[in-house]
Amino acid sequence: MIKFLDLKKINAPYERAFQEKLKSVLESGWYILGNKVATFEANFANYCGTKHCIGVGNGLDALVLIFKGYIQLGKLQKGDEVIVPANTYIASILAILQADLVPVLVEPKLETYNINPVLISEKITSKTKAILAVHLYGQLAEMDAIIEIANQNNLLVVEDSAQAHGAFLSENRMSGNLSNAAAFSFYPGKNLGALGDGGAVTTNDDELTKVIHTLRNYGSEKKYQNEYVGVNSRLDELQAAFLNVKLPNLDIENSKRKAIANRYLSEIKNDKIILPKFSFLGTNQSNHVFHLFVIRTRNRDELQKYLLENDIDTMIHYPIAPHKQKAFLAWNNFSFPITEKIQNEVLSLPMSPVLTTVEVNHVISILNQY
């Protein structure tokens, strides 16, 4: 069976280094917000090209803390509207709601699955104060167009970069450094994945950095003195140590993903299968790091069953659109036909830096025979 994602195999090359980091953390006697977190924050900020990185508990918290930080700074107020893609993982929307803001859903482009900038302006009202741009599946949203709209309407722009570690538009214009602030997840399956939960905020905003540093630690900058109603959301010292081990190889592993994606794109030839489309920027497809390689087909369930019968594991990202979730009953009658079409047709093929040539050959061959 070709696994959709083999985390054990992905992390195996790092085992000795992980053991050394574990020993180092144990011997340090400092397990919360120590040198390992500070080192990773500096390293990841440098990688993204931002002034600041704040390690937090997970990707959802990273988004929530950005919004709550801007509320504390007076740049947002509870009840403000935030433009967000209708086609996204539910965390993007949960973050807005948990910050007591109002999500306004906008359809994606069918070709890229990312938010359609042309439709954003139609949804802007006097209450709109921010745009949440999601880099879905590892492909950058159309940030130049989004930033232009934001500047014209005096809006904040926040990136959900949970799936786009290392994607970039050009030198010094990388995911995490294309907006006012960005949120990352280091969930184990991400391109830069920890061995547990973890997240981070990247930004060039000094004031926001100071507020989020405080909010993530019970709203306290000085022990037992609480400036804000904060939360406990701190990147774990051990996970930070593991991430420091893996970060230097992120670009190499992304290159392997891109090479596999190029093979899928050039060698899968089946009229029943719609391959992903994206803007090529140079020869390295820098704006897409293929966290997921997502195809579409009208008979998705049939194709998934066929692939499983031929020893190919796949996943669906995501089978239920956010506005159709039970959690959002008030939205269930909303109509987002492009989002719904995507949710009914998408299928994610095996994609990771440890897929072998033989495995990729098999996936291509079986798909071409379908």
Side-chain angles (χ1 to χ4, degrees), residues 43-118:
N43 289 343
F44 197 64
N46 181 65
Y47 177 81
C48 293
T50 56
K51 290 175 64 177
H52 306 289
C53 168
I54 310 105
V56 299
N58 53 69
L60 174 59
D61 283 358
L63 281 172
V64 173
L65 288 168
I66 290 170
F67 290 127
K68 287 189 173 182
Y70 278 128
I71 289 172
Q72 292 292 344
L73 292 170
K75 294 185 179 181
L76 291 174
Q77 296 182 8
K78 293 181 180 181
D80 283 346
E81 293 177 352
V82 179
I83 300 288
V84 63
N87 183 52
T88 186
Y89 182 56
I90 200 168
S92 308
I93 294 167
L94 291 176
I96 297 168
L97 291 168
Q98 289 184 17
D100 295 317
L101 301 168
V102 179
V104 177
L105 308 185
V106 173
E107 285 270 57
K109 285 186 175 180
L110 184 59
E111 295 79 15
T112 65
Y113 311 126
N114 278 330
I115 194 167
N116 188 340
V118 174

Side-chain angles (χ1 to χ4, degrees), residues 50-190:
T50 56
K51 290 175 64 177
H52 306 289
C53 168
I54 310 105
V56 299
N58 53 69
L60 174 59
D61 283 358
L63 281 172
V64 173
L65 288 168
I66 290 170
F67 290 127
K68 287 189 173 182
Y70 278 128
I71 289 172
Q72 292 292 344
L73 292 170
K75 294 185 179 181
L76 291 174
Q77 296 182 8
K78 293 181 180 181
D80 283 346
E81 293 177 352
V82 179
I83 300 288
V84 63
N87 183 52
T88 186
Y89 182 56
I90 200 168
S92 308
I93 294 167
L94 291 176
I96 297 168
L97 291 168
Q98 289 184 17
D100 295 317
L101 301 168
V102 179
V104 177
L105 308 185
V106 173
E107 285 270 57
K109 285 186 175 180
L110 184 59
E111 295 79 15
T112 65
Y113 311 126
N114 278 330
I115 194 167
N116 188 340
V118 174
L119 301 179
I120 291 176
S121 297
E122 299 175 6
K123 295 293 185 78
I124 293 175
T125 71
S126 60
K127 295 182 179 180
T128 307
K129 301 301 177 184
I131 301 171
L132 177 55
V134 181
H135 305 316
L136 198 63
Y137 307 149
Q139 180 175 3
L140 294 180
E142 295 178 50
M143 293 305 295
D144 287 340
I146 291 169
I147 294 296
E148 183 178 356
I149 293 167
N151 289 341
Q152 290 171 352
N153 293 276
N154 195 28
L155 306 178
L156 293 168
V157 178
V158 176
E159 294 169 78
D160 183 339
S161 294
Q163 300 183 359
H165 313 70
F168 63 95
L169 289 174
S170 60
E171 189 175 356
N172 299 322
R173 298 191 67 204
M174 180 170 281
S175 171
N177 192 20
L178 301 172
S179 63
N180 297 98
F184 286 89
S185 166
F186 304 119
Y187 182 79
K190 304 300 185 184

